[in-house]
Structure formats: structure tokens, C-alpha cells
Amino acid sequence: MKELKCPNCQHVFQVDDAVFESIAGQVRNKAFEDELRKRLAELERQHVAEEREREAVRQRQHDSELSKRDLEIMRLNERIASAEAASKARTQAEIARAEQLAAKRLQEKEMLMAEAVREKERELDRLNASLAEARNSTQLEVMKERERQMEAQRIKDQEIMQLRQNAAVTERLHLEQRNNMREQYAKELQAKDEMIAYFKDFKARQSTKAIGESLEQHCSCEFESVRAIAYPTAQFGKDNDVVEGTKGDFIFRDYVDGEEYISIMFEMKNEAEGTEKTHRNEEFFAKLDSDRRKKRCEYAVLVTMLEPDSELYNRGIVDVSHRYEKMFVVRPQFFMPIIGLLTSNARSTIGFRRRINELESSHVNFMNFRAKLEGIQNGIMGNYESAHKHISNSLKQIDSSIKSLTKLKEEMQKWDTFMSRAVTKSEGLTIRKLTHGNPEIRDLIKSAEEAEKSVSKELPESIEDDPLLSFDEL
């Protein structure tokens, strides 16, 4: 029998050896778990320290081997380092989650154990009265509890082992990926170095003229390789038409339904390495722009290998239209892409161009119609002014004629009045009245009447000559 003293109530009670061994085992298990956690933490710190030391060693090695040609390798190492850091973070996170899960389960088990201890203490109080009757059941409960704890410890050990295996597999996979990436980029760098060496040797063996012609042949071969598929209706060839003493290298023109929708003037420039007097690309901009305008091309493209160290021109397609309208500078590898870019952009505007031409044609027709209408209007206005002038003159003549006729009318009316008076006076006139008191005249009239029978007497020529109808007498 063993004696146990309660730390709370200071009560001393006796338990048999089996119960005492069970309680002692529980205490030892707790100590073992504490030691295990400390060991895991120590291993984790050691792992982190080793990783940092390896990272420092790798960094020192990288710093000593860096050069202009190894910039790509440095970027790859940075990517690998970031992948390792991510892997390490994931591993640490997984270990932290495992530790949290283990701590949580351990805490639950401790709570269960504390509850079990409290339950056992209460049960021991009851067993003081009937220890003999409850011995078998107590031993059975202790054995079950021990088995449960052993099972939980086994499961926990398996989980820790599985996590460690997963971490090792992940680390191995990342190491393999890093090695594969290094090998791949090393091969690519080697291939690039071989290509650079080849082109350097190729340039060194060529003359200045051959260097320029080789670039032209390269561009010509590049276009001819895709002409039948991509540009079956296009025209691409040497510019042999000299205008004002200059000409370009190549002219590209393409058509849709027989209508030209794009034209490009190309100039190729190249020079051998080590040339004493090197040229700059901008030296050829003015001539290229002049050739483009003389040949009525829409775009101008300078295909150049000058200024090989220029970061601007090594980026790809460079737009210099801020200096010269619709001009681009490209490296030889962007010769076909610039044609594809410009042609695809021009094809998308064919409909708009046709619509603009239709509108311009409609505008021209409208202007012609308006000019004809204005001509007709001007002719009508001229005829109207002439007719108006003649009508005005005629109206003036008519007014003058009306005045003359009115005056003649008045004179005729006066004449009619005078004639009426004369007729009135002549109706009361007789020979008897005329010869009254004048016998001599009466005798003369009689003799005249007698003579009239034999000789016709001349009549007076006008009324005014007749002394009998004189206006003065009337």
C-alpha cells in the first residue's frame, strides 16, 4: 500500500500499488510530452539556423560569382530562394499547425486527465468506505485509461512522423525543381553564348557591304517564307527607283480587292563590330522620312543592328513618330512582327477609309451640284437684271408715251370743243343773215351762184383758210 497526500486538503490516504503506478505513469507521460515539445522546438531552431547558414553560404558564393553575363543566373537564384523561402514558410506553417494541434490535443488530454484525477479523488473518497468492493472496477478503469493514453500517444507520434516525412518529401521536390531550373537556364545561357559567338564570327568574316546585304537578305528571306500564307496579294521588293539622288532599300505594299490599303518604306542598317566610326540610328531618320514621302509610302521602318548596347532599341519596336511621322525602329527579329502589326491595324481601317472616300465623293458631287446651281442662279440673276433694266426703260418710255398721249388727248378734246362750237354757230348761219343790211354782198352772192353753175369754184385747202370759219371770228 502507498500513501498519497492531497495538495488541496492535506488529507493522507492509502492506495494500492496498481493505482499508484497508474498515477505515476500519468505524471511521467506529461514529463515525456514536455520533453518532446522542447526537443521539437530545439530541432526546429537548429533547422532554421542551418537553413540560414546555408543561405548565407549561398549568398556569399553568389556575390563572388556575379558578373554581367550571370545576371540571368542571379535572377534564377532569387526565384529559387523565394521558392525555398515559400517552401520553408509552408514547412514551418505545417510544423506550427502540427504543434498547435498536438498542444491542443495535449491540453484536452490534460483537462481530461485533471477531470479524471478529480473524479478519481472523489471516487477515492467513496472507496475509503468500500475499497474492497470497488478495487476491481478501479483497476479496470485505470487500465482503460492507460490504454487510451497510449493510443493517443501512438497517434500523435504517427502524425509527427508523417509531417516530418511530408516536410522531407517537399524539401526534396523543391531541391529537384531548383536543380532542374538551374540546368535548364544553364543550357539556355550556353545556347545564347554559342549563338552570340557564331554571329560575332559571322560578322568578323564579312565585309562592310556584305554585312549590310546579309541583313537585307535576312529580311527578304523572312518575308518570302510567309508571303504565300500571310500576304498573297502583297508586293515586296528592292526600291530601284532613284528620286533626287536617293532611294530606300525595300518597299512593301498590300492590296484588298485591288485597292492599296498600306505601304511601308524599309531601310536596313548594319555594321561590323570594332568599326572605328560607329553610326547612330537617328542619323538615318531624315533620309528615311524623305524617301517615304518621295515614294508616297504611308509608314517608314528602320531595321537596324546599330547601337547594339542601347537599352531603348533592344526592347523591341520603338515608335519615333514624335520626331518623324509614322516612323518605327526595330531589330531584325521584329521585322515580321512590325509588318503584321501595321497591316492588321490598316486592315481594320479599310471600311472607314472606304466610307471616308464615299463621303468625300458625295461631298465632291454635292460641291459640283452646288456650283452648277450657283451658275444657274447667277445666270438667272443676270438675265433678270438685264430684263429688269429693259423693263424699267420700257416702263419709262410707256410713261413718257402716256404723258404725250394724255397731252394729245387734251389737245384733241380742245379741238373737239372748238369744232362743236363751230358746228353750233354754222347751223344758224344763212346767206340771208349774212347779207342782211349789205345789198352789195347779196348781189355778189347771186352773181357767184350763177357763175357756179358754169365754173366750179375751188374749195379752200383747210378750214383755217376759210374766212367764214375763222377761229378769230368764232
Side-chain angles (χ1 to χ4, degrees), residues 203 270-274 278-279 281 304-315 331:
K203 280 188 174 182
N270 192 8
E271 65 183 5
E273 293 185 359
T278 59
H279 295 278
N281 291 318
T304 174
M305 293 189 69
L306 306 180
E307 300 182 55
D309 298 329
S310 173
E311 184 178 356
L312 173 63
Y313 296 117
N314 289 336
R315 289 181 178 178
R331 293 301 189 197

Side-chain angles (χ1 to χ4, degrees), residues 290-352:
S290 176
D291 292 339
R292 178 186 74 85
R293 295 179 184 276
K294 291 174 183 177
K295 301 303 172 62
R296 296 185 179 182
C297 294
E298 184 177 2
Y299 295 97
V301 177
L302 177 63
V303 184
T304 174
M305 293 189 69
L306 306 180
E307 300 182 55
D309 298 329
S310 173
E311 184 178 356
L312 173 63
Y313 296 117
N314 289 336
R315 289 181 178 178
I317 298 173
V318 180
D319 185 359
V320 294
S321 57
H322 61 283
R323 297 185 59 184
Y324 294 92
E325 184 182 6
K326 295 185 177 182
M327 183 177 292
F328 299 89
V329 181
V330 300
R331 293 301 189 197
Q333 61 268 29
F334 294 100
F335 172 70
M336 291 309 301
I338 188 65
I339 294 178
L341 181 65
L342 295 179
T343 53
S344 62
N345 181 60
R347 283 195 185 101
S348 63
T349 62
I350 291 176
F352 295 103

Side-chain angles (χ1 to χ4, degrees), residues 8 10 47-48 59 90 99 207 246 248 257 274 289 307 345 377 393 409 456 463-464 471:
N8 295 325
Q10 304 299 321
H47 177 71
V48 171
Q59 187 64 35
R90 287 195 295 272
E99 289 180 350
S207 64
T246 62
D257 298 333
D289 183 68
E307 300 182 55
N345 181 60
Q377 289 177 345
N393 295 332
K409 179 181 177 182
S456 297
I463 297 175
E464 296 179 351
F471 287 109

Side-chain angles (χ1 to χ4, degrees), residues 100-266:
Q100 291 177 0
L101 181 60
K104 183 177 179 182
R105 291 182 179 177
L106 183 60
Q107 186 179 5
E108 292 176 354
K109 290 177 182 178
E110 288 176 352
M111 293 174 63
L112 292 173
M113 288 173 64
E115 182 65 26
V117 169
R118 288 192 295 271
E119 182 66 27
K120 283 181 175 47
E121 288 177 354
R122 291 193 293 269
E123 202 166 321
L124 286 173
D125 291 337
R126 291 191 300 270
L127 287 175
N128 286 330
S130 56
L131 184 58
E133 296 178 0
R135 181 178 295 174
N136 295 330
S137 61
T138 302
Q139 290 178 353
L140 182 61
E141 185 68 25
V142 169
M143 291 176 65
K144 288 181 179 180
E145 182 65 23
R146 183 181 296 172
E147 290 176 356
R148 283 196 298 270
Q149 298 226 353
M150 291 176 65
E151 182 66 21
Q153 183 65 33
R154 186 180 64 80
I155 293 172
K156 183 174 69 173
D157 293 340
Q158 289 179 354
E159 291 178 351
I160 292 172
M161 183 62 68
Q162 185 66 33
L163 289 174
R164 288 178 177 174
Q165 291 177 357
N166 292 340
V169 170
T170 304
E171 182 71 19
R172 187 172 62 255
L173 290 175
H174 284 301
L175 183 61
E176 291 178 356
Q177 291 177 358
R178 182 177 61 186
N179 294 332
N180 292 334
M181 291 176 67
R182 283 181 176 175
E183 292 177 359
Q184 179 182 355
Y185 282 102
K187 291 179 180 178
E188 291 180 358
L189 287 175
Q190 183 180 0
K192 289 181 180 178
D193 292 340
E194 292 176 354
M195 184 63 68
I196 291 171
Y198 169 77
F199 279 112
K200 285 183 177 180
D201 180 67
F202 176 73
K203 280 188 174 182
R205 288 186 285 105
Q206 285 185 313
S207 64
T208 303
K209 182 178 180 182
I211 288 172
E213 292 179 351
S214 65
L215 180 57
E216 294 178 3
Q217 292 174 1
H218 167 75
C219 295
S220 179
C221 291
E222 286 289 319
F223 181 81
E224 293 299 332
S225 64
V226 299
R227 176 198 286 269
I229 299 174
Y231 307 102
T233 61
Q235 294 181 359
F236 180 79
K238 292 281 291 182
D239 180 18
N240 298 318
D241 186 12
V242 179
V243 178
E244 297 180 6
T246 62
K247 64 182 183 66
D249 286 338
F250 286 90
I251 294 180
F252 170 85
R253 299 182 188 274
D254 201 2
Y255 303 85
V256 172
D257 298 333
E259 178 185 355
E260 180 182 311
Y261 71 93
I262 187 173
S263 57
I264 308 173
M265 169 68 71
F266 286 98

